[in-house]
């Protein structure tokens, strides 16, 4: 696949963009290319000796795979970055695009390996039709749809300490009817990404894998409904309340006596 990742030792991360329009690689640079089958990598010999540039290959790949701008208003993308101390994984993109297909396609980009210890953020793929595991992605574009879309995001941390996940601070380019939510599958916390631009958590010692979901729902035009309200007495003379919502919302609850006196305020994020 025509994606070249060039390692930048100064920042201990791969340089972007993910895709280069020529096959020239800087001298003494490390690089990684994903091959779907056993392959041979052939380098053209230089035309001249001495301080002359080597001859460029005639091969030119199709289009830039990190899509910077689009003409279709229904297309969008989100960039993520994982940081631990001075180590980062900066090149991670999800979104929808008119050229994307269902499942893995030509504008998806595989996640490159990293020297240990490191922090890595990537997107898991479901198994193939024959049950074979597919490589993780650093860029995953989907078809444009009005239905819910869910990306399975993974952060692998071998450094320990606090992990900071950030995303595009300005989401005004996302269509107004797109509602992105980050879900921490360990803590259960849900972060509305339009009003927040980062999420932090503490990672244990040794290699730690933390799983998330990026859930993108179409914005609901119907009003919020609360139904199925119930109260269950507990053994310590307390009461547990439950209810259902027609869609995600921030909920606060005030308990009052029959005379209207406030007993307690309860808050929860759903």
């Amino acid at each position: 696949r025509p994606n070249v990742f060039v390692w930048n030792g100064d920042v201990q991360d791969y340089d972007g963009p993910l895709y280069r329009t020529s096959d020239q690689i800087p001298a003494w640079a490390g690089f990684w290319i994903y091959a779907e089958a056993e392959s041979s990598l052939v380098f053209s010999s230089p035309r001249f000796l001495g301080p002359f540039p080597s001859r460029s290959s005639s091969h030119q790949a199709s289009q830039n795979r990190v899509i910077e701008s689009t003409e279709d208003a229904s297309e969008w993308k989100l960039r993520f970055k994982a940081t631990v101390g001075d180590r980062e994984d900066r090149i991670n993109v999800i979104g929808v695009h008119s050229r994307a297909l269902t499942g893995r396609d030509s504008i998806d980009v595989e996640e490159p390996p990293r020297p240990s210890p490191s922090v890595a953020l990537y997107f898991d793929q479901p198994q193939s039709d024959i049950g074979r595991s597919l490589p993780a992605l650093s860029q995953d574009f989907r078809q444009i749809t009005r239905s819910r879309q869910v990306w399975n995001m993974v952060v692998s941390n071998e450094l320990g300490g606090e992990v900071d996940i950030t995303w595009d601070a300005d989401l005004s380019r996302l269509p107004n009817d797109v509602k992105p939510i980050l879900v921490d599958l360990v803590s259960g916390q849900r972060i509305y990404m339009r009003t927040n631009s980062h999420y932090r958590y503490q990672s244990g010692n040794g290699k730690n894998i933390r799983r998330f979901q990026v859930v993108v729902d179409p914005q609901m035009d119907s009003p919020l409904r609360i139904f199925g309200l119930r109260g269950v007495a507990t053994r310590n003379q307390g009461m547990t309340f439950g209810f259902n919502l027609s869609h995600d919302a921030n909920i606060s609850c005030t308990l009052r006596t029959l005379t209207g006196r406030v007993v307690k305020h309860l808050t929860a994020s759903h």
Side-chain angles (χ1 to χ4, degrees):
R1 293 167 68 87
N3 304 301
V4 180
F5 292 79
V6 179
W7 182 255
N8 185 332
D10 293 334
V11 297
Q12 293 294 296
D13 193 12
Y14 291 98
D15 278 338
L18 299 178
Y19 169 83
R20 300 190 176 237
T21 55
S22 77
D23 56 4
Q24 289 183 340
I25 296 173
W28 312 112
F31 64 94
W32 180 83
I33 301 173
Y34 179 78
E36 296 180 316
E38 185 174 346
S39 308
S40 296
L41 188 62
V42 179
F43 292 90
S44 300
S45 59
R47 181 175 294 177
F48 302 101
L49 296 177
F52 292 95
S54 62
R55 178 168 56 89
S56 298
S57 165
S58 60
H59 168 72
Q60 296 289 329
S62 55
Q63 299 182 33
N64 192 321
R65 295 179 182 272
V66 181
I67 303 169
E68 297 297 339
S69 61
T70 59
E71 297 180 359
D72 191 333
S74 59
E75 296 175 354
W76 58 265
K77 62 183 175 61
L78 272 173
R79 294 177 181 266
F80 290 84
K81 179 175 71 173
T83 304
V84 177
D86 60 353
R87 300 290 182 88
E88 296 179 335
D89 181 354
R90 303 169 296 171
I91 307 174
N92 310 282
V93 183
I94 62 171
V96 299
H97 195 271
S98 57
R99 290 193 290 115
L101 304 175
T102 300
R104 188 172 174 223
D105 56 49
S106 61
I107 61 175
D108 291 336
V109 177
E110 291 75 18
E111 170 76 6
R114 294 177 173 273
S116 184
S118 64
V119 59
L121 187 154
Y122 53 89
F123 305 100
D124 266 348
Q125 297 187 83
Q127 288 188 330
S128 67
D129 294 338
I130 60 175
R132 181 171 60 91
S133 295
L134 297 175
L137 299 176
S138 63
Q139 178 173 292
D140 185 7
F141 277 88
R142 307 276 182 83
Q143 284 184 316
I144 299 173
T145 177
R146 288 289 302 163
S147 302
R148 166 180 285 206
Q149 301 229 46
V150 179
W151 283 263
N152 294 314
M153 188 174 79
V154 180
V155 177
S156 172
N157 178 27
E158 301 172 328
L159 301 165
E162 185 178 73
V163 180
D164 190 16
I165 302 172
T166 56
W167 49 89
D168 299 329
D170 181 12
L171 299 189
S172 60
R173 294 185 178 182
L174 264 66
N176 292 331
D177 60 350
V178 170
K179 182 182 178 183
I181 297 174
L182 177 68
V183 183
D184 185 337
L185 297 181
V186 175
S187 69
Q189 190 166 354
R190 300 168 66 90
I191 309 299
Y192 184 42
M193 297 174 63
R194 283 192 181 272
T195 54
N196 297 273
S197 59
H198 73 93
Y199 177 72
R200 295 190 181 102
Y201 69 92
Q202 287 294 329
S203 177
N205 296 325
K207 185 173 182 178
N208 177 269
I209 301 292
R210 188 96 162 197
R211 299 188 180 276
F212 300 84
Q213 285 184 336
V214 182
V215 180
V216 177
D217 279 320
Q219 194 77 34
M220 298 296 183
D221 295 327
S222 59
L224 176 68
R225 293 188 302 110
I226 301 176
F227 56 94
L229 182 62
R230 56 201 176 273
V232 179
T234 60
R235 292 183 178 180
N236 59 357
Q237 296 183 340
M239 182 73 72
T240 298
F241 294 95
F243 51 86
N244 300 101
L245 302 176
S246 56
H247 54 81
D248 289 340
N250 291 322
I251 298 297
S252 63
C253 178
T254 302
L255 300 180
R256 299 176 182 269
T257 65
L258 293 176
T259 60
R261 181 175 59 87
V262 174
V263 176
K264 192 170 185 178
H265 291 288
L266 303 175
T267 61
S269 180
H270 294 271

